[in-house]
């Protein structure tokens, strides 16, 4: 019985990893046609780093991820502090609203933001606005904030209110007490929220596709336009790199988590 | 504390970026260009046979995908939750890990396998068997959906199975239940919340996708997601696209209500 179980798990793992493994193998294949493995080469990786279009997309992806997670963390932290002090009824309403973008499908979020921007552009016709870097960044901030709030609020709930008041009684200004008492205690929530926001931003494709404009591509949108032109060994190479980067990131996140547990 | 005022800017933010966009979509779906007043013409257009088949095909594929993920995924979660393997944590990590990979790349990776010069056709060729067309079929789309969403089924079921108190199973055994009874009377009923969240996590993205059908279906198989994407990015028919988006939302809300009723029903029985 145990063997059957082992074989079953192994089969499913093969199903999950075979496409990734084949992708990696083909990224090292000399021939472009994929019909045969003709020889080992790194030329697709070299070509990848010569492709200015892809490099620009990589740059935009990273910039958007850094900026959007930064803004989302700041706005989300301030909003969480406020939401935590609302009355129960108001808090429930705000939280329902906050969860709305989390449960709506990405495609609906994408088109609804797109029509919002286009409607605003229509109002300011003279300004010659169009979809592009700024709308892409704004969209990423918008879809990231709810996740930041969801990871900070539980920490705030655990916080002892008396600590803040004790600090005030001892003569601390509210700002001082905020930075010395509250922020350090919810720090882990803020950090995990910002990491989550960063990964979501890197990973997003659907919302980006609807809210970006011509000429501004992140990695996802560029990969999408390339896949529609068929297979390209450069994408195999890019996928391989992204796969290993994510593996390393996950490894470190796990390490941080287990360190936290042992502390 | 006065800090509750800190939430007010965010409330305004949510009104601008969450509520107003949905209202605009609703407005678009009910109005027509150059015409005043409200109209249901775009909703009735969605019920024309051409578009109705697309909606049904999306429902069908999402349903099949959910059922297959459940059939394949439940045993995986169950085996992982039993104490048979030493490094269970690492095994679970292996099953969840593909979830973190870019969705597009995971879908794209199948092109290398299914393509006309892909791995499978090479193997067929080796045995002098005729080439098969795997891409651009409904089967390829279904495969892509299952591949992408299987981890979303495994994780919640595993979590609910993991939480089961082993004492309950021991008590069952002491009272003379055989392993079949223990599974049907104790383990499976206690895992139902996980099954329901797994179904939600698989069905929802499966019915809204347009990426899988575009990449593996080659644009020949339209799903409701493709239809919406087309209206907004290519034909610029925002009214019809909005009506389709509203229909999609209604389907999703309807199914979540159905699932939560099922969940509640089950909780009451307990």
């Amino acid at each position: 019985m145990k063997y059957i179980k082992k074989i079953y798990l192994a089969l499913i793992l093969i199903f999950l990893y075979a496409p990734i493994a084949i992708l990696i193998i083909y990224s090292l294949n000399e021939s472009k046609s994929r019909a045969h493995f003709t020889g080992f080469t790194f030329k697709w990786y070299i070509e990848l780093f010569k492709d200015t279009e892809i490099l620009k997309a990589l740059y935009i992806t990273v910039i958007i991820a850094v900026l959007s997670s930064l803004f989302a963390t700041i706005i989300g932290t301030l909003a969480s502090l406020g939401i935590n002090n609302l009355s129960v009824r108001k808090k429930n309403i705000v939280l329902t609203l906050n969860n709305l973008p989390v449960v709506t499908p990405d495609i609906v979020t994408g088109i609804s933001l797109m029509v919002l921007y286009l409607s605003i552009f229509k109002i300011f016709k003279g300004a010659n606005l169009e979809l592009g870097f700024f709308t892409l960044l704004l969209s990423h901030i918008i879809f990231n904030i709810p996740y930041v709030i969801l990871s900070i609020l539980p920490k705030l709930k655990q916080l002892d209110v008396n600590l803040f008041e004790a600090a005030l009684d001892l003569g601390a200004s509210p700002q001082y007490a905020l930075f010395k008492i509250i922020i350090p205690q919810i720090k882990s929530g803020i950090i995990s929220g910002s990491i989550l926001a960063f990964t979501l931003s890197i990973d997003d494709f659907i919302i980006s596709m609807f809210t970006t404009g011509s000429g501004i591509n992140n990695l996802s949108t560029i990969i999408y336009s390339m896949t529609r032109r068929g297979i390209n060994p450069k994408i195999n190479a890019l996928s391989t790199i992204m796969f290993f980067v994510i593996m390393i990131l996950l490894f470190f996140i796990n390490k941080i988590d287990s360190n936290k547990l042992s502390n | 504390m006065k800090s509750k005022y800190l939430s007010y800017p965010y409330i305004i933010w949510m009104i601008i970026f969450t509520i107003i966009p949905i209202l605009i979509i609703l407005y678009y779906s009910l109005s027509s260009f150059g015409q005043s007043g409200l109209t249901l013409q775009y909703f009735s257009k969605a019920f024309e046979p051409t578009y109705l088949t697309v909606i049904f095909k999306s429902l069908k594929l999402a349903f099949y995908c959910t059922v297959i993920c459940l059939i394949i995924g439940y045993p995986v979660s169950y085996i992982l939750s039993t104490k048979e393997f030493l490094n269970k944590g690492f095994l679970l990590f292996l099953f969840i890990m593909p979830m973190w990979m870019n969705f597009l790349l995971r879908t794209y990776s199948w092109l290398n396998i299914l393509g006309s010069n892909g791995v499978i056709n090479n193997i067929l060729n080796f045995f002098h068997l005729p080439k098969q067309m795997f891409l651009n079929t409904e089967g390829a789309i279904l495969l892509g959906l299952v591949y992408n969403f299987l981890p979303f089924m495994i994780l919640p079921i595993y979590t609910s199975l993991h939480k089961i108190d082993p004492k309950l199973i021991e008590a069952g055994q002491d009272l003379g239940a055989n392993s079949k009874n223990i599974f049907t009377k104790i383990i499976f009923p206690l895992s139902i919340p996980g099954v329901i969240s797994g179904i939600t996590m698989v069905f929802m993205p499966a019915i809204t996708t347009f990426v899988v059908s575009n990449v593996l279906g080659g644009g020949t198989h339209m799903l409701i997601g493709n239809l919406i994407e087309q209206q907004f990015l290519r034909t610029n028919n925002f009214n019809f696209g909005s009506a389709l988006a509203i229909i999609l939302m209604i389907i999703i809300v309807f199914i979540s209500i159905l699932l939560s009723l099922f969940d509640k029903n089950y909780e009451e029985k307990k």
Side-chain angles (χ1 to χ4, degrees):
Chain A
M1 205 43 204
K2 197 175 170 182
Y3 283 108
I4 298 174
K5 285 180 184 172
K6 266 189 178 167
I7 292 167
Y8 184 72
L9 288 190
L11 280 177
I12 304 293
L13 280 178
I14 290 171
F15 171 65
L16 288 175
Y17 285 93
I20 299 169
I22 286 165
L23 200 99
I24 294 172
I25 294 169
Y26 275 127
S27 78
L28 297 166
N29 184 10
E30 177 129 44
S31 141
K32 195 179 176 169
S33 78
R34 283 173 315 122
H36 299 285
F37 195 86
T38 48
F40 179 84
T41 177
F42 277 119
K43 77 172 173 199
W44 305 118
Y45 291 86
I46 296 164
E47 276 197 27
L48 180 71
F49 285 105
K50 281 187 194 152
D51 190 323
T52 49
E53 217 186 342
I54 291 178
L55 288 183
K56 192 184 163 207
L58 174 68
Y59 172 75
I60 287 176
T61 308
V62 174
I63 291 279
I64 294 269
V66 170
L67 289 179
S68 74
S69 55
L70 183 73
F71 283 122
T73 308
I74 294 169
I75 300 172
T77 308
L78 292 175
S80 308
L81 289 170
I83 292 169
N84 194 46
N85 289 309
L86 288 173
S87 64
V88 177
R89 201 175 56 91
K90 276 186 197 154
K91 196 168 163 180
N92 284 336
I93 298 172
V94 172
L95 280 182
T96 315
L97 263 181
N98 183 58
N99 284 345
L100 208 58
V102 179
V103 293
T104 31
D106 279 357
I107 186 170
V108 177
T109 311
I111 57 165
S112 62
L113 287 175
M114 180 186 169
V115 290
L116 174 76
Y117 299 146
L118 294 180
S119 311
I120 293 173
F121 296 168
K122 235 186 243 170
I123 298 171
F124 299 101
K125 243 181 198 157
N128 235 352
L129 298 160
E130 56 180 20
L131 295 172
F133 184 82
F134 182 72
T135 49
L136 185 63
L137 177 61
L138 185 60
S139 310
H140 279 235
I141 297 172
I142 291 168
F143 78 70
N144 272 334
I145 293 175
Y147 293 96
V148 174
I149 291 178
L150 286 177
S151 49
I152 294 177
L153 270 185
K155 299 280 164 204
L156 276 172
K157 227 181 245 169
Q158 291 166 6
L159 197 75
D160 189 348
V161 199
N162 296 326
L163 280 176
F164 184 74
E165 274 159 19
L168 293 185
D169 288 348
L170 291 170
S173 70
Q175 286 88 343
Y176 188 81
L178 176 69
F179 283 104
K180 285 284 167 184
I181 308 289
I182 295 184
I183 300 283
Q185 299 217 45
I186 58 171
K187 203 174 69 189
S188 65
I190 296 175
I191 291 173
S192 58
S194 59
I195 292 177
L196 185 62
F198 185 82
T199 8
L200 287 171
S201 166
I202 293 256
D203 209 44
D204 177 70
F205 160 64
I206 296 173
I207 296 171
S208 305
M209 185 175 137
F210 285 104
T211 53
T212 190
S214 57
I216 303 292
N217 273 312
N218 62 13
L219 278 178
S220 299
T221 56
I222 211 167
I223 289 169
Y224 187 63
S225 60
M226 283 168 99
T227 55
R228 304 194 65 189
R229 279 179 249 144
I231 302 248
N232 182 333
K234 270 191 271 180
I235 309 183
N236 287 344
L238 181 63
S239 313
T240 308
I241 294 174
M242 286 171 83
F243 176 72
F244 283 110
V245 168
I246 285 172
M247 276 239 291
I248 293 164
L249 269 180
L250 281 182
F251 177 77
F252 278 114
I253 290 172
N254 265 350
K255 223 172 174 192
I256 293 170
D257 275 351
S258 53
N259 280 349
K260 233 189 281 164
L261 285 181
S262 54
N263 283 346
Chain B
M1 274 204 274
K2 273 192 276 176
S3 70
K4 73 173 179 194
Y5 297 120
L6 283 172
S7 69
Y8 295 168
Y10 184 57
I11 293 172
I12 295 168
W13 173 282
M14 285 193 293
I15 291 171
I16 297 173
F17 294 116
T18 308
I19 298 181
I20 290 180
I22 292 174
L23 291 179
I24 299 177
I25 292 281
L26 197 64
Y27 171 76
Y28 266 113
S29 72
L30 289 169
S31 65
S32 175
F33 188 73
Q35 239 176 294
S36 60
L38 299 177
T39 167
L40 280 173
Q41 69 179 96
Y42 294 103
F43 284 96
S44 53
K45 186 177 175 185
F47 287 100
E48 282 169 17
T50 5
Y51 300 115
L52 208 56
T53 33
V54 172
I55 296 174
F56 275 122
K57 194 192 269 177
S58 313
L59 275 169
K60 185 183 79 180
L61 284 177
F63 175 75
Y64 285 164
C65 165
T66 313
V67 172
I68 295 173
C69 283
L70 185 60
I71 292 171
I72 300 177
Y74 196 98
V76 173
S77 313
Y78 179 69
I79 297 171
L80 285 176
S81 73
T82 56
K83 295 198 168 55
E84 279 181 54
F85 296 100
L86 279 176
N87 36 16
K88 216 163 55 168
F90 179 68
L91 264 178
L92 181 71
F93 173 74
L94 278 183
F95 279 97
I96 302 308
M97 158 84 188
M99 230 162 78
W100 292 93
M101 240 192 109
N102 190 298
F103 177 81
L104 258 174
L105 293 181
R106 271 182 291 158
T107 312
Y108 162 80
S109 64
W110 279 97
L111 287 180
N112 286 317
I113 298 178
L114 301 174
S116 54
N117 283 320
V119 175
I120 296 180
N121 271 322
N122 271 332
I123 296 170
L124 288 178
N125 193 25
F126 183 77
F127 292 108
H128 301 288
L129 290 165
K131 247 187 195 183
Q132 297 285 321
M133 279 304 294
F134 296 107
L135 285 179
N136 308 345
T137 60
E138 266 185 37
I141 299 175
L142 188 58
L143 179 75
L145 291 175
V146 171
Y147 179 70
N148 273 309
F149 303 130
L150 183 60
F152 293 99
M153 186 63 91
I154 293 175
L155 187 61
I157 297 179
Y158 172 81
T159 315
S160 67
L161 285 170
H162 188 69
K163 271 194 290 196
I164 295 177
D165 188 349
K167 283 183 196 124
L168 283 175
I169 295 164
E170 282 162 26
Q173 282 164 339
D174 289 347
L175 292 169
N178 58 22
S179 52
K180 186 184 151 234
N181 275 337
I182 285 177
F183 182 78
T184 54
K185 302 261 182 209
I186 301 174
I187 297 176
F188 186 72
L190 286 174
S191 70
I192 284 181
V195 171
I196 287 177
S197 59
I199 291 176
T200 320
M201 284 173 76
V202 172
F203 188 85
M204 300 307 168
I207 192 152
T208 58
T209 190
F210 64 93
V211 177
V212 178
S213 41
N214 253 348
V215 175
L216 297 176
T220 48
H221 289 268
M222 293 280 269
L223 298 183
I224 186 165
N226 301 85
L227 216 51
I228 295 175
E229 183 228 349
Q230 205 179 46
Q231 305 311 315
F232 280 94
L233 295 182
R234 273 172 271 169
T235 53
N236 276 327
N237 189 345
F238 285 13
N239 304 94
F240 185 43
S242 301
L244 288 168
I246 300 279
I247 291 172
L248 182 65
M249 292 288 275
I250 291 171
I251 294 174
I252 285 176
V253 169
F254 178 74
I255 285 172
S256 359
I257 290 174
L258 214 66
L259 283 171
S260 68
L261 279 181
F262 188 73
D263 204 18
K264 217 182 262 169
N265 201 6
Y266 156 77
E267 295 272 322
E268 271 163 19
K269 250 191 231 162
K270 206 168 60 174

